[in-house]
Amino acid sequence: KRLVLINPFGGGGKAPGVWKRLQAILAPSGLLFEDMQTTHAGHARELMQSLNLDDYKCVCTISGDGLVYEVINGLMSRTDGKAALERVPLAPAPGGTGNALWRSICHKAGEHADLLGAAFVYAKGQAAPLDLWEHVRPASDGAPEEHLGWSMLSLSWGIIADVDLE
């Protein structure tokens, strides 16, 4: 079965409705899904840290890119992090505002960036590599190097906002 994580606040609250429509499209496929709504920020990360990987073929997300970010960071924080991330494919669907990662996946899979395209991506279950980078605060003034997290798609620096505030 596939685990489906739904952020009820994703896309201004549209994610649960997206899952309902996507579920109707997927019904004839015979695929098994276990759906779960996240209840708070960081919930998906917490779930991934203790997920029994043998129970799921895939982790699907219905939200924006933030929920995928939580899933990745939760899997990577496990003692078997890299192996866990390689073992369990991630499949986002468009339940957020921008859905950049989902659009990239549909493009790479040759599918349209709509719910039918998301259904085909879910049903095919073909994995594709995703570039990740690790955020690390360098060691300085006697403080050790500090791992801050993992990211995908983009990285931004908040100096413009800081300059604007000054």
Side-chain angles (χ1 to χ4, degrees):
K1 68 184 162 191
R2 289 149 171 81
L3 176 62
V4 180
L5 297 176
I6 305 145
N7 176 358
F9 303 104
K14 73 178 184 180
V18 168
W19 172 234
K20 186 174 268 192
R21 291 190 306 278
L22 186 55
Q23 211 172 8
I25 294 169
L26 288 164
S29 72
L31 296 172
L32 298 176
F33 295 94
E34 178 183 327
D35 56 18
M36 181 184 304
Q37 286 198 8
T38 57
T39 59
H40 57 276
H43 187 199
R45 180 185 176 112
E46 294 164 7
L47 290 170
M48 294 302 105
Q49 289 172 335
S50 59
L51 182 71
N52 182 351
L53 299 180
D54 294 331
D55 290 346
Y56 303 102
K57 295 183 78 152
C58 181
V59 174
C60 308
T61 59
I62 314 290
S63 186
D65 298 331
L67 192 57
V68 177
Y69 173 84
E70 281 193 31
V71 168
I72 288 170
N73 279 278
L75 288 170
M76 291 298 286
S77 67
R78 297 164 55 113
T79 56
D80 63 343
K82 290 181 183 178
L85 193 57
E86 289 174 6
R87 186 169 169 199
V88 180
L90 305 180
T97 305
N99 305 304
L101 180 61
W102 172 77
R103 290 180 184 280
S104 297
I105 289 170
C106 283
H107 177 75
K108 185 167 180 78
E111 300 296 345
H112 292 284
D114 56 18
L115 281 184
L116 188 57
F120 280 128
V121 169
Y122 273 30
K124 288 179 188 177
Q126 295 174 334
L130 172 66
D131 289 332
L132 296 176
W133 58 88
E134 183 178 15
H135 299 271
V136 176
R137 180 175 293 138
S140 66
D141 297 327
E145 181 177 270
E146 180 183 3
H147 167 79
L148 300 176
W150 295 88
S151 238
M152 78 287 177
L153 285 180
S154 64
L155 176 67
S156 59
W157 187 30
I159 192 168
I160 301 303
D162 289 341
V163 168
D164 190 37
L165 289 172
E166 291 298 318

